[in-house]
Amino acid sequence: MIENERDIRLSSVIEAGRRMLTAARTAPKAKGLDLLECCLVTGDDIQRMSAEMQALYEETGRPVFKRDGENILKAGCVVVIATRREVMGLDCGHCGFDSCAQKLPGVPCAFNSVDVGIALGSAVATAADCRVDTRVMYSAGMAAARMKLLGEGPYQYFAIPVSASSKSPFFDR
């Protein structure tokens, strides 16, 4: 059997995306508490995400949504990673308040943000191991949040489009 790279490229990109999801899940987390939600977006759902980004551009006038909305159309899949909000009870002060009890409602625990950042780093490191092109995008994450791709719970979304081409479509901006 002979498999041409062009014929298996999309399946290779999706497999890399799946590995990225596993890497995010197994990344270290504060107090060992897993608050992450993750999914893989493919096919027509990438088109829907791009349309949501174009709507964000029209509402805000911020060019990042237009540019990134066009960029994700060149991806074979998009990895979405988000965290739910939960106070860790460490009274560390990293959120800007002296204790967790003083923290205002709606202010995220700093460790929630750190955990999603570590998961993103683990996911893109795995992508590098798979030799696929990626870029972490808060803009596509905002579209995923508006689309409620991970339900009602998560609040801090990021998205990572994944591609395998001769030149990264996410590099020249």
Side-chain angles (χ1 to χ4, degrees):
M1 174 192 278
I2 298 171
E3 290 185 304
N4 186 299
E5 177 274 333
R6 286 181 174 86
D7 297 334
I8 63 168
R9 185 180 306 167
L10 180 59
S11 64
S12 296
V13 167
I14 291 171
E15 180 58 32
R18 288 179 177 136
R19 291 175 185 257
M20 292 167 66
L21 291 174
T22 302
R25 177 63 59 213
T26 60
K29 294 159 189 78
K31 293 176 64 175
L33 184 60
D34 188 353
L35 300 174
L36 294 181
E37 298 294 340
C38 310
C39 71
L40 189 70
V41 180
T42 61
D44 291 341
D45 289 318
I46 294 174
Q47 301 279 339
R48 287 186 3 177
M49 182 182 275
S50 175
E52 190 67 40
M53 294 170 76
Q54 294 306 321
L56 279 162
Y57 167 67
E58 290 171 17
E59 291 169 24
T60 67
R62 293 169 56 195
V64 66
F65 293 113
K66 181 176 175 49
R67 178 197 65 206
D68 290 354
E70 293 168 0
N71 276 169
I72 69 168
L73 293 173
K74 298 173 186 148
C77 68
V78 178
V79 172
V80 177
I81 302 173
T83 183
R84 293 188 311 275
R85 188 185 328 246
E86 188 170 318
V87 175
M88 295 292 145
L90 298 172
D91 292 332
C92 66
H94 282 304
C95 66
F97 294 90
D98 290 334
S99 72
C100 297
Q102 293 176 337
K103 189 176 80 56
L104 297 174
V107 175
C109 175
F111 287 100
N112 300 159
S113 301
V114 169
D115 286 352
V116 78
I118 292 170
L120 288 165
S122 188
V124 296
T126 298
D129 291 344
C130 294
R131 303 301 180 255
V132 293
D133 296 318
T134 62
R135 184 161 196 119
V136 176
M137 294 183 175
Y138 82 90
S139 55
M142 289 181 71
R146 281 180 39 150
M147 295 169 71
K148 298 188 185 329
L149 292 184
L150 296 169
E152 296 290 336
Y155 78 100
Q156 207 173 44
Y157 278 73
F158 294 89
I160 310 167
V162 185
S163 173
S165 58
S166 56
K167 183 180 179 309
S168 173
F170 317 122
F171 184 73
D172 293 332
R173 301 171 61 87

